[in-house]
């Protein structure tokens, strides 16, 4: 196929995404208000807790076998590379632009975490259905492409909530501490006369707090240590956020692996003559509704960026350059190097997905994370708006080039 044919094939899926995204943005306008903030919240919960897990589990269950695992083992490492390289480039953006403390975690997160689930779930089926697709039979391409995208979504969710969540948390907490220190300094400096050192010390401080050895014996020491251990474990659990780490899509992926890899369960649920095939068919039916709803919600969420406050232009430019120029170029080197070393099999569709993982816009869930900590919400909306607006051009060009590269 020529580059022009590949460009047309690559542009069709992106145009479909743009049209549905524009519809979602239109429905979210105050004049129409069919997809307002409350509606998006409820729809997002349905997608997050019901449709996404059904989509992921049904697609993985159909295609995951012990043989396919030999092919897919490199994908988690490939996604890890995107996070590592994106973080390094994000740190470079921080050094150049010097943003406020509360935005540092947001910048690194946007550079590190791409939309590894939703965008692939939208783009891959559309590419497979195009007549000029270089990936062979549309049905086979769709089946395996969706399994690759589902695994990408599950692994991406684990990395996002274990890494980006904590990056933003640390950044926002440091920003809060700086504000607290500045406020307390202002209060102290505004007092009359000199500062009393006694006011800076706790009343009746125990000897051990002043650096002196304690001479008393606490008969509740053991229970006190037990309480501390419990508090420590609670803090670790809260910081890692196990509930988010084991997101429904991740749980769906685990269920899909179990069904696909355990022969007894697979025979019961997968196939035209399986006794419990109705369960698998129902999951597929639910999962089919995820993609259009995801795209509409994504369009509605971008409305915030259209009406949001301004952001440092150099910061926005740095994120765009990282996500749409630097990362894809590095991704070509990583994936081609893995192919040369025999780490990745010569499956054009699989290689295409690995390459595409380096060229995606920032993950939409970063907006959810900023809302949790109240740090950079409006700036995140602006970043997402421009990143996804430019994705229509960048994704089309990179998709064209990647298809030419693997065909």
């Amino acid at each position: 196929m020529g580059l022009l044919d590949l460009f047309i094939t690559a542009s069709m899926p992106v145009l479909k995404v743009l049209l549905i995204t524009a519809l979602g943005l239109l429905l979210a306008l105050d004049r129409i208000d069919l997809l307002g903030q409350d509606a998006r919240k409820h729809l997002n919960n349905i997608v997050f807790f019901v449709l996404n897990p059904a989509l992921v589990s049904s697609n993985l269950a159909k295609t995951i076998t012990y043989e396919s695992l030999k092919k897919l083992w490199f994908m988690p490492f490939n996604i890890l590379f995107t996070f590592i390289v994106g973080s390094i480039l994000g740190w470079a953006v921080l050094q150049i632009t010097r943003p406020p403390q509360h935005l540092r975690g947001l910048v690194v997160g946007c550079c590190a975490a791409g939309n590894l689930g939703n965008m692939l779930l939208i783009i891959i089926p559309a590419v497979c259905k195009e007549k000029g697709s270089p990936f062979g039979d549309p049905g086979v391409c769709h089946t395996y492409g969706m399994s690759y995208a589902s695994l990408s979504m599950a692994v991406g969710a684990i990395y996002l909530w274990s890494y980006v969540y904590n990056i933003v948390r640390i950044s926002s907490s440091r920003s809060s501490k700086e504000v607290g220190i500045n406020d307390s300094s202002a209060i102290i400096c505004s007092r009359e006369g000199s500062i009393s050192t006694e006011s800076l010390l706790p009343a009746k401080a125990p000897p051990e707090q002043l650096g002196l050895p304690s001479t008393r014996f606490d008969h509740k020491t053991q229970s006190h240590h037990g309480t501390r251990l419990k508090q420590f474990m609670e803090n670790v659990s809260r910081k890692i956020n196990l509930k988010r780490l084991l997101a429904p899509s991740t749980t769906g992926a685990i269920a899909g692996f179990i069904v696909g890899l355990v022969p007894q369960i697979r025979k019961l649920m997968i196939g035209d003559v399986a006794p419990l095939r109705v369960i698998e068919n129902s999951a597929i039916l639910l999962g089919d509704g995820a993609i259009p709803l995801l795209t509409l919600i994504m369009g509605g969420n971008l409305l915030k960026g259209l009406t949001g406050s301004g952001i440092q232009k150099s910061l926005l430019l740095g994120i765009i350059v990282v996500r749409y120029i630097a990362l894809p170029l590095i991704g070509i080197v990583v994936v081609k190097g893995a192919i040369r070393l025999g780490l990745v099999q010569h499956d054009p569709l699989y290689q295409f997905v690995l390459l595409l993982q380096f060229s995606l816009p920032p993950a939409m869930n970063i907006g959810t994370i900023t809302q949790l900590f109240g740090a950079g919400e409006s700036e995140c909306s602006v970043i997402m708006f421009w990143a996804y607006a430019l994705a229509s051009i960048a994704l089309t060009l990179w998709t064209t080039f990647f298809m030419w590269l693997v065909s």
Side-chain angles (χ1 to χ4, degrees), residues 30-69:
D30 292 335
R31 295 178 182 178
I32 300 175
D33 201 26
L34 285 176
L35 202 60
Q37 188 171 355
D38 290 337
R40 292 199 305 272
K41 181 180 178 182
H42 295 312
L43 280 176
N44 197 50
N45 284 335
I46 293 173
V47 172
F48 185 71
F49 289 104
V50 181
L51 303 187
N52 267 352
L55 181 69
V56 170
S57 61
S58 60
N59 281 299
L60 285 176
K62 285 189 296 184
T63 55
I64 287 295
T65 60
Y66 287 108
E67 288 299 320
S68 64
L69 279 179

Side-chain angles (χ1 to χ4, degrees), residues 25 299-310 377-386:
L25 194 150
N301 288 337
L302 293 180
L303 181 64
K304 291 182 182 178
L306 189 62
T307 58
S309 61
E377 293 178 62
S378 60
E379 291 88 348
C380 182
S381 298
V382 176
I383 291 171
M384 291 297 171
F385 175 80
W386 286 107

Side-chain angles (χ1 to χ4, degrees), residues 250-295:
T250 308
T251 309
I254 294 170
F257 272 105
I258 293 172
V259 172
L261 294 175
V262 179
Q264 293 81 2
I265 302 177
R266 187 180 183 87
K267 289 178 181 178
L268 284 173
M269 297 181 64
I270 309 298
D272 296 333
V273 294
L276 300 179
R277 62 185 179 277
V278 65
I279 298 175
E280 173 70 7
N281 293 337
S282 300
I284 293 171
L285 186 62
L286 278 172
D288 287 342
I291 294 173
L293 274 180
L294 279 171
T295 316

Side-chain angles (χ1 to χ4, degrees), residues 113-391:
N115 195 333
L116 293 161
N118 300 351
M119 289 302 292
L120 289 180
L121 289 172
I122 295 167
I123 292 172
I124 297 299
V127 169
C128 289
K129 290 176 183 176
E130 287 298 316
K131 291 182 179 179
S133 171
F135 303 122
D137 180 71
V140 176
C141 174
H142 182 273
T143 300
Y144 283 94
M146 290 300 286
S147 70
Y148 300 155
S150 298
L151 181 60
S152 178
M153 172 185 256
V155 175
I158 294 173
Y159 289 150
L160 178 77
W161 289 103
S162 60
Y163 174 67
V164 177
Y165 174 87
N166 285 294
I167 288 289
V168 176
R169 177 184 61 80
I170 292 168
S171 174
S172 61
S173 63
R174 284 180 180 175
S175 176
S176 301
K177 286 178 182 178
E178 286 181 5
V179 172
I181 291 170
N182 292 335
D183 290 346
S184 61
S185 299
I187 292 170
I188 292 172
C189 292
S190 65
R191 290 179 180 174
E192 297 179 3
S194 60
I195 300 172
S196 171
T197 54
E198 291 181 2
S199 65
L200 300 179
L201 293 173
K204 298 181 182 180
E208 57 268 28
Q209 191 169 341
L210 298 175
L212 301 174
S214 176
T215 55
R216 58 182 181 175
F217 177 75
D218 188 357
H219 65 280
K220 296 183 179 179
T221 301
Q222 188 173 358
S223 62
H224 182 63
H225 285 316
T227 304
R228 280 188 174 182
L229 180 62
K230 183 179 178 182
Q231 290 175 348
F232 173 76
M233 294 303 294
E234 288 176 353
N235 287 335
V236 170
S237 176
R238 185 167 58 253
K239 288 177 180 179
I240 294 178
N241 199 348
L242 293 176
K243 184 178 179 181
R244 296 285 185 178
L245 191 62
L246 293 173
S249 58
T250 308
T251 309
I254 294 170
F257 272 105
I258 293 172
V259 172
L261 294 175
V262 179
Q264 293 81 2
I265 302 177
R266 187 180 183 87
K267 289 178 181 178
L268 284 173
M269 297 181 64
I270 309 298
D272 296 333
V273 294
L276 300 179
R277 62 185 179 277
V278 65
I279 298 175
E280 173 70 7
N281 293 337
S282 300
I284 293 171
L285 186 62
L286 278 172
D288 287 342
I291 294 173
L293 274 180
L294 279 171
T295 316
L296 287 172
I297 293 168
M298 186 170 67
N301 288 337
L302 293 180
L303 181 64
K304 291 182 182 178
L306 189 62
T307 58
S309 61
I311 189 174
Q312 191 177 339
K313 291 181 180 179
S314 59
L315 194 64
L316 185 60
L317 180 63
I319 294 171
I320 297 299
V321 169
V322 167
R323 289 237 59 100
Y324 295 140
I325 298 176
L327 266 175
L329 291 173
I330 295 171
I332 293 170
V333 176
V334 171
V335 175
K336 282 297 181 181
I339 295 169
R340 286 274 183 92
L341 294 172
L343 302 176
V344 176
Q345 295 182 9
H346 293 279
D347 176 0
L349 179 61
Y350 183 52
Q351 293 175 12
F352 175 72
V353 172
L354 293 178
L355 288 166
L356 206 57
Q357 288 171 342
F358 281 90
S359 59
L360 298 167
M364 293 296 290
N365 275 331
I366 296 174
T368 305
I369 294 172
T370 58
Q371 289 173 1
L372 290 174
F373 297 107
E377 293 178 62
S378 60
E379 291 88 348
C380 182
S381 298
V382 176
I383 291 171
M384 291 297 171
F385 175 80
W386 286 107
Y388 279 81
L390 293 172

